[in-house]
Amino acid sequence: MKVKGVGASAGIGIGKALKYHTLTPDLSSIVTETPEQELARFEKGSVKFVEEMRRLYAKTEKKLGKEHAAIFDSQIMLLRDVELQEKIRDAIAAGSSASQAVYDVTQYYVQTLGQVENPLIRQRAADALDLQNRMIKILFGMQDTLNLQLTQPTILILDELTPSVAANLDTTWIRGIVAEKGGFHGHALILARQMAMPVILGLEDAMMVLTEGSLVAIDGISGELEDDPQEESYQEWKEKERDWIRHQQLLASFKTKKSVGKDGRAYKIMANINNVEEAGMAAEIGADGVGLFRTEFLFLGKSKIPTEEEQFQAYRQVSELMKGKPVTIRTLDVGGDKPISYLHLPNEANPYLGYRAIRYGLEHPGEFKIQLRAILRAGAEHQNLSIMIPFITSVEEVMRTKQLLEECKCELDQQGIPYEKDYRFGIMIETPAAALMAKELAKEVDFFSIGTNDLTQYVLSCDRSNTNVAGIYSVFQPAVLRAIKMTIEAAIQEGIEISMCGEAAASAPMIAVLAGWNLTNLSVGLNSVWYVRERVTNVSKEEGIALADKVMQAVTREEVMKIVKQK
């Protein structure tokens, strides 16, 4: 039997199916005692929770390093959050059981993050959900560990993949994971990917359909699963497994290699990150820097704006972890698919075209300056931070932001607070307006970064999350390619640096075209850094020019794809 889910972590895995239920207790069975007794239960449970997190931290640090173990530190920090603690204690005082109070309060975080349209942010709800389940199990006296005594290659079948399950994986025998649910960008999957563990998500009814003990083969790229493959098919899977192992050994060799094209031209292959722990991962895999730090993750799951000190500490840690390599921090990109409740953004018929990103920042200069000051301060020691503004549509927005930065510098000087004086200031090119005004904008900034995800969406007037128009959305549409080329030419003419940080930066055909247009700075997802570094070794400027010339003569996406596939 062959079925298909969503490939979430690359690799080939073959083994016997083993089902593991992520049990959750029934809260309706709770007998609530006095508030004093319930509070004592909560405090005792919290102590045990912290102990378990520290145990998982130690286990993960030994296996993958402290950067990945930091995932469990973040759960301790969430439990100890002053606001969360106050709400839980208030609920207990009002008559709730400790378990019900934990559920109700953490559910707020789960729902806040889970309702965001952006899948990258939405899947962070899995971290809050993991804390919720873990604490409730502790309060019920249940074990929350994956202690499986395995003696043969195994494919783990789950109802949901969580960080606790991922951290406890026995990589000696577990060769892959199939889960009905799980966050595509969550911490659990980050851990699985770092262990090179093939994962398939979204396979509905896997716990019911798959047979315990049957031989299962999975492809974590295509999402294909075959249950009980026959001899000929089994041998094909074994060959795919051997090919995958050889390819991974090749990619791993690029961790310490320089990013150089086959014509000797130097490239920068940087990483896109969402938080401090991912900066540690970027450093560990040998990225040439951080090309995009999405700071909105610092603002999510809170009830008020992070203080200047909280933001400063986060940015400073990223600066330190990268050990002098460049770090580009994008200022808050709120609105659109990233609403934050406490900012009280209005309901809009077209939020992607409304009150978002820099538009919000300039209308709330006090809040905006908190972030700008924090970034300036964080760069003081290592002098490696750059500031990047999202969703620019006019020169006026750039000039107003620069004025706010000057105000921040004056304030810090007056207060005697050190900051990075020679910071680099740049903007995202992700709107048609910015591409059309690129020549003028280039005179005002130190660098451009092309955000192809939004640029493609806006150039084509095509919602990238709408499956009905998925056939239209493509960075290889001629109109999008022309916008990209126009932007690159303006940057080169003005002598400023230009990079690409959208998903297209990890596309082999796009890398080849960009080589012809002299764009050599690419920022990609953590799991694509080695792949992209390997791809650029096969690229030369001359070949890129020839390919780009052909592509620019095409007038349909189909023509473009035919040309790049011949490369």
Side-chain angles (χ1 to χ4, degrees):
M1 176 184 70
K2 290 186 178 181
V3 293
K4 194 165 185 179
V6 179
S9 179
I12 305 296
I14 304 172
K16 294 296 182 72
L18 176 64
K19 298 179 183 180
Y20 178 79
H21 290 272
T22 308
L23 298 173
T24 52
D26 181 5
L27 295 181
S28 66
S29 65
I30 300 170
V31 177
T32 306
E33 300 182 9
T34 66
E36 292 76 17
Q37 290 172 311
E38 292 297 331
L39 182 58
R41 282 184 63 226
F42 170 68
E43 291 176 344
K44 184 178 179 180
S46 297
V47 171
K48 187 171 182 180
F49 176 88
V50 171
E51 290 173 352
E52 286 194 7
M53 291 300 96
R54 286 175 175 163
R55 179 184 61 78
L56 285 174
Y57 181 99
K59 185 173 183 177
T60 306
E61 181 182 22
K62 184 177 180 180
K63 187 187 298 183
L64 298 174
K66 64 173 58 179
E67 292 83 7
H68 303 297
I71 288 171
F72 300 103
D73 259 350
S74 68
Q75 292 215 1
I76 293 175
M77 291 173 63
L78 178 56
L79 179 64
R80 289 177 169 171
D81 180 82
V82 173
E83 180 184 3
L84 182 140
Q85 286 275 331
E86 287 179 355
K87 288 183 177 179
I88 290 175
R89 292 172 187 276
D90 288 346
I92 291 172
S96 286
S97 67
S99 300
Q100 189 68 53
V102 167
Y103 176 85
D104 290 341
V105 174
T106 55
Q107 193 65 15
Y108 164 77
Y109 292 87
V110 173
Q111 292 178 346
T112 299
L113 297 174
Q115 290 173 356
V116 176
E117 289 185 20
N118 187 313
L120 191 66
I121 298 174
R122 187 172 64 244
Q123 300 303 346
R124 296 298 172 180
D127 297 331
L129 184 62
D130 199 30
L131 180 148
Q132 178 190 96
N133 290 338
R134 207 185 272 280
M135 268 297 294
I136 290 174
K137 288 177 184 177
I138 288 173
L139 293 170
F140 267 74
M142 298 172 62
Q143 290 294 321
D144 189 32
T145 55
L146 184 64
N147 294 318
L148 303 174
Q149 302 302 313
L150 303 176
T151 58
Q152 60 183 336
T154 299
I155 301 296
L156 194 61
I157 314 299
L158 305 168
D159 46 9
E160 181 163 14
L161 177 61
T162 65
S164 58
V165 170
N168 279 295
L169 289 176
D170 176 2
T171 53
T172 303
W173 292 114
I174 295 178
R175 301 296 165 80
I177 298 170
V178 177
E180 295 178 346
K181 295 189 295 182
F184 196 83
H185 299 281
H187 282 142
L189 197 53
I190 290 171
L191 287 175
R193 286 169 175 165
Q194 290 304 314
M195 290 184 277
M197 182 69 65
V199 177
I200 294 177
L201 298 178
L203 196 58
E204 295 183 6
D205 301 322
M207 296 290 284
M208 181 173 61
V209 173
L210 298 176
T211 304
E212 180 97 15
S214 66
L215 186 66
V216 174
I218 69 171
D219 184 335
I221 298 177
S222 68
E224 181 184 1
L225 177 150
E226 185 169 3
D227 185 24
D228 193 23
Q230 299 307 299
E231 181 60 27
E232 184 179 350
S233 184
Y234 173 74
Q235 292 303 328
E236 291 175 357
W237 278 104
K238 291 297 291 184
E239 183 59 31
K240 287 174 68 175
E241 183 181 46
R242 287 189 288 269
D243 288 345
W244 174 255
I245 291 171
R246 286 192 290 267
H247 183 62
Q248 286 304 104
Q249 290 170 341
L250 172 65
L251 284 184
S253 70
F254 282 88
K255 174 179 179 179
T256 55
K257 288 184 179 180
K258 292 183 178 180
S259 306
V260 179
K262 70 178 183 180
D263 56 359
R265 185 165 57 168
Y267 283 75
K268 284 184 182 178
I269 311 302
M270 297 172 286
N272 300 333
I273 67 169
N274 306 306
N275 50 47
V276 174
E277 62 206 40
E278 290 185 9
M281 297 177 197
E284 183 182 327
I285 64 175
D288 296 323
V290 170
L292 172 62
F293 178 10
R294 302 179 180 94
T295 60
E296 47 270 18
F297 288 95
L298 299 175
F299 291 72
L300 290 164
K302 294 181 177 291
S303 61
K304 58 183 178 181
I305 294 172
T307 65
E308 181 179 321
E309 187 63 24
E310 288 174 323
Q311 294 188 55
F312 162 71
Q313 290 296 340
Y315 307 145
R316 182 185 60 79
Q317 289 179 60
V318 172
S319 173
E320 290 180 351
L321 284 166
M322 292 311 296
K323 298 179 174 61
K325 292 180 178 179
V327 174
T328 299
I329 299 178
R330 184 178 72 185
T331 58
L332 181 62
D333 188 4
V334 68
D337 61 347
K338 295 182 281 286
I340 296 177
S341 59
Y342 57 81
L343 296 182
H344 304 298
L345 295 169
N347 291 322
E348 298 177 295
N350 295 297
Y352 285 99
L353 303 178
Y355 192 44
R356 57 167 295 193
I358 189 59
R359 296 171 179 176
Y360 177 87
L362 292 176
E363 288 297 313
H364 297 80
E367 296 175 6
F368 193 20
K369 285 170 64 175
I370 290 174
Q371 183 171 36
L372 295 177
R373 282 172 53 102
I375 299 172
L376 290 172
R377 290 174 55 200
E381 183 176 356
H382 298 286
Q383 304 285 306
N384 64 335
L385 298 188
S386 299
I387 299 172
M388 182 164 69
I389 312 300
F391 203 63
I392 288 293
T393 57
S394 69
V395 173
E396 290 90 337
E397 290 167 336
V398 174
M399 296 177 70
R400 289 174 63 192
T401 303
K402 290 169 71 174
Q403 179 58 43
L404 290 178
L405 277 163
E406 288 300 315
E407 292 176 17
C408 290
K409 289 162 62 177
C410 289
E411 292 169 5
L412 292 170
D413 282 332
Q414 291 172 0
Q415 295 170 326
I417 298 174
Y419 64 92
E420 184 172 359
K421 293 180 170 60
D422 296 322
Y423 64 90
R424 295 168 67 254
F425 175 72
I427 61 173
M428 294 278 288
I429 303 295
E430 51 191 339
T431 67
L436 289 168
M437 292 294 291
K439 183 177 178 180
E440 289 74 19
L441 288 167
K443 299 179 186 298
E444 299 291 333
V445 300
D446 301 311
F447 66 92
F448 286 162
S449 183
I450 302 174
T452 53
N453 299 345
D454 267 345
L455 183 62
T456 302
Q457 172 173 249
Y458 290 122
V459 167
L460 300 175
S461 300
C462 177
D463 182 353
R464 58 189 170 115
S465 64
N466 187 334
T467 56
N468 294 321
V469 292
I472 300 172
Y473 181 89
S474 171
V475 72
F476 291 104
Q477 292 277 11
V480 181
L481 292 171
R482 293 180 189 189
I484 292 171
K485 184 173 186 285
M486 179 190 307
T487 301
I488 295 171
E489 288 175 342
I492 292 173
Q493 182 179 341
E494 196 59 35
I496 68 169
E497 188 176 285
I498 183 161
S499 65
M500 180 178 285
C501 65
E503 290 180 12
S507 161
M510 179 58 75
I511 292 169
V513 172
L514 294 175
W517 289 338
N518 284 314
L519 191 152
T520 56
N521 292 350
L522 304 166
S523 191
V524 296
L526 288 165
N527 298 299
S528 298
V529 169
W530 293 349
Y531 168 78
V532 173
R533 187 169 286 160
E534 186 240 358
R535 292 309 308 163
V536 301
T537 64
N538 298 313
V539 170
S540 71
K541 181 178 179 180
E542 291 73 19
E543 292 172 348
I545 290 173
L547 180 65
D549 286 346
K550 291 180 182 178
V551 163
M552 291 309 291
Q553 293 173 25
V555 295
T556 69
R557 176 181 177 274
E558 289 71 23
E559 290 178 29
V560 171
M561 296 311 298
K562 185 177 180 179
I563 292 167
V564 298
K565 284 179 180 178
Q566 292 173 350
K567 168 69 174 63

